[in-house]
Amino acid sequence: MTALLSKFQARSYCGQLDLPAIADLINLCKQFDHLEDFTSAEELEHEFADPDLDLDRDLRLWETADGVLCAFADCWLPESNDIQNGYLFFNIHPDFRNLGIEAEVFAWAEARLVEVARSRNLPAKLHTGARED
């Protein structure tokens, strides 16, 4: 890990207390990227109630040393019989983009996907989206 990456501390989701900060981060990113599908803490709570979601291991937050939420990721890993697909959804605060945190998000998602795929004895495939710009 480089000195730059050590500025970010990854942690698991801590429950309802994290919801407003996650919603604020997602909405800030949507506004910055000129997208219109905003969310709320209530919507996230409903989304995170999915029984297939392991709240401790399928959600990850990255913060600065002083506790500023700079990234959030959700890796959805639905059960399958032939290939373990992982769908990565993530948001990175505009002020922290292109500083290396993207690599940490992808490394976490890949490791989580491999862990689940091995436990299910399946090959794995990670999916995510990106904007052209």
Side-chain angles (χ1 to χ4, degrees), residues 4-133:
L4 181 60
L5 292 180
S6 67
K7 288 198 233 181
F8 306 112
Q9 300 169 352
R11 68 171 177 85
S12 297
Y13 173 69
C14 290
Q16 288 185 329
L17 293 177
D18 280 334
L19 291 172
I22 294 170
D24 288 348
L25 174 66
I26 291 171
N27 291 334
L28 174 69
C29 292
K30 300 287 184 179
Q31 182 177 13
F32 185 84
D33 294 330
H34 307 288
L35 302 173
E36 297 179 8
D37 52 335
F38 296 98
T39 192
S40 68
E42 293 79 19
E43 288 176 22
L44 291 173
E45 183 175 29
H46 178 74
E47 181 181 323
F48 296 168
D50 183 334
D52 292 330
L53 190 64
D54 182 332
L55 296 177
D56 293 328
R57 299 187 302 172
D58 295 343
L59 305 177
R60 183 72 52 183
L61 293 82
W62 284 262
E63 299 175 329
T64 62
D66 56 348
V68 174
L69 181 62
C70 50
F72 169 75
D74 172 356
C75 195
W76 182 51
L77 303 156
E79 288 198 36
S80 175
N81 294 322
D82 56 349
I83 188 167
Q84 180 59 62
N85 288 296
Y87 299 92
L88 173 63
F89 305 95
F90 65 97
N91 288 274
I92 297 175
H93 191 292
D95 292 345
F96 296 97
R97 293 178 181 178
N98 302 311
L99 297 176
I101 197 165
E102 295 85 355
E104 288 192 34
V105 170
F106 288 118
W108 165 77
E110 180 181 17
R112 179 67 183 130
L113 173 60
V114 167
E115 174 188 8
V116 171
R118 282 187 183 147
S119 73
R120 296 176 180 169
N121 198 29
L122 295 171
K125 186 173 187 178
L126 183 61
H127 305 266
T128 194
R131 292 179 42 146
E132 184 176 301
D133 60 343

